[in-house]
Amino acid sequence: MSWLLLHRPLGQFIGNPRRHWQHLATRMVEPNKELRTWRAWACWYLAKEILPEGDFPADLEQIREEGVIEPTHGEIVANLIRLSPADDLSRWLAALDWTHQQLGRERRMAMPVRVRRIGESELPVIQRLGHEIWRKCYPGILSEGQIDYMLSVWYQPDAMAREMHTRGAWFALVEAEALGAVGYLSFERYPENVLFINKLYVQPEMHGQGVGAAALAWTEERARELGCYRLQLRVNKHNAPAIRAYQRAGFKFLEDVCSDIGNGYVMDDFRMEKSLL
């Protein structure tokens, strides 16, 4: 299957294997439903690794309506070990290793990180990171004009400083060992014991190494210290990698929110929430 996907003819319709395996895994029937479900997720993972998500997207409507959470590598391994009477795991890992070799991709390992609250003097670092990360992650999701506009409104150091002083917002840098700042976050306390995450971004080359998860865990600790019972955030409806990460961290879909942000632009988001009780 990996060979077929890697050698797919350009411009020829092949359907959407990623979505096919997602549907198969979530709609499996007996006999041996559970084993066959995890075999389907193993095939889905290969498709996910090979096919560009922009061209072969997940079924986000099903993910939202049915609460589907796409599994991690570790979850697939654990369930194939638990369920398979044959050599499913070794065959899958071999196919995955071969796929990564063909793509010239090295296996990503968890990276030690620290999250550090900052003051006004370091807000220009967040401004720089924001411009770098947004221009890597948002083309294809937002227009170039909207990216420019939102960066100009929300990422000026004086605007972020006003958030600190008038709304009590926290800003923090996410730092990786030997690399320095690779991401940032901000949040503020809302009424009714809600901690709202305004920003949480990590350089895309750091994805898959536990950096975002560490930032979320640090934020959750701060929320508990501040007496908050819920975490909330907004995520663009087309930002599939972020939605996937938040679901895996325990966030649930709360509502659709579409906001006019001026200059003819809107933010079309999901509001998501995680209970800390």
Side-chain angles (χ1 to χ4, degrees), residues 6 97-107:
L6 285 165
D97 285 343
W98 179 82
T99 297
H100 288 163
Q101 291 171 14
Q102 300 304 305
L103 295 171
R105 187 182 302 166
E106 296 181 2
R107 183 177 296 178

Side-chain angles (χ1 to χ4, degrees), residues 174-193:
V174 184
E175 299 173 328
E177 192 174 72
L179 295 175
V182 296
Y184 60 93
L185 62 88
S186 76
F187 60 77
E188 59 188 280
R189 196 179 194 282
Y190 278 10
E192 300 178 355
N193 302 311

Side-chain angles (χ1 to χ4, degrees), residues 58-242:
D59 185 346
L60 282 177
E61 183 176 353
Q62 186 204 21
I63 286 172
R64 185 190 180 192
E65 296 300 324
E66 299 179 20
V68 175
I69 300 177
E70 297 172 335
T72 63
H73 178 280
E75 289 169 335
I76 295 172
V77 167
N79 282 286
L80 290 180
I81 290 173
R82 180 173 64 89
L83 296 165
S84 175
D87 58 351
D88 288 72
L89 179 61
S90 61
R91 291 292 185 95
W92 179 65
L93 291 175
L96 192 57
D97 285 343
W98 179 82
T99 297
H100 288 163
Q101 291 171 14
Q102 300 304 305
L103 295 171
R105 187 182 302 166
E106 296 181 2
R107 183 177 296 178
R108 294 183 174 183
M109 306 298 289
M111 177 170 287
V113 298
R114 73 164 180 168
V115 184
R116 177 173 60 85
R117 187 182 183 183
I118 64 170
E120 287 185 50
S121 64
E122 292 186 273
L123 290 176
V125 180
I126 289 184
Q127 181 186 37
R128 174 182 60 81
L129 286 169
H131 281 256
E132 292 176 3
I133 294 171
W134 278 51
R135 297 195 188 283
K136 294 174 184 176
C137 294
Y138 276 119
I141 297 177
L142 301 175
S143 69
E144 184 176 345
Q146 182 163 349
I147 293 171
D148 291 341
Y149 174 74
M150 294 174 75
L151 288 172
S152 69
V153 171
W154 294 338
Y155 280 84
Q156 295 300 325
D158 58 346
M160 291 186 279
R162 282 195 299 273
E163 291 180 33
M164 284 182 170
H165 296 304
T166 63
R167 293 167 20 200
W170 288 40
F171 287 81
L173 290 172
V174 184
E175 299 173 328
E177 192 174 72
L179 295 175
V182 296
Y184 60 93
L185 62 88
S186 76
F187 60 77
E188 59 188 280
R189 196 179 194 282
Y190 278 10
E192 300 178 355
N193 302 311
V194 172
L195 193 83
F196 193 88
I197 302 172
N198 295 314
K199 300 176 177 69
L200 201 167
Y201 294 95
V202 173
Q203 292 279 15
E205 53 268 29
M206 304 300 297
H207 291 178
Q209 299 180 71
V211 178
L216 277 174
W218 183 87
T219 304
E220 184 173 324
E221 291 175 5
R222 305 292 81 72
R224 294 181 187 278
E225 290 172 358
L226 293 169
C228 295
Y229 307 137
R230 292 176 289 161
L231 286 174
Q232 288 187 5
L233 53 82
R234 287 175 61 163
V235 57
N236 186 284
K237 290 179 180 178
H238 302 288
N239 193 346

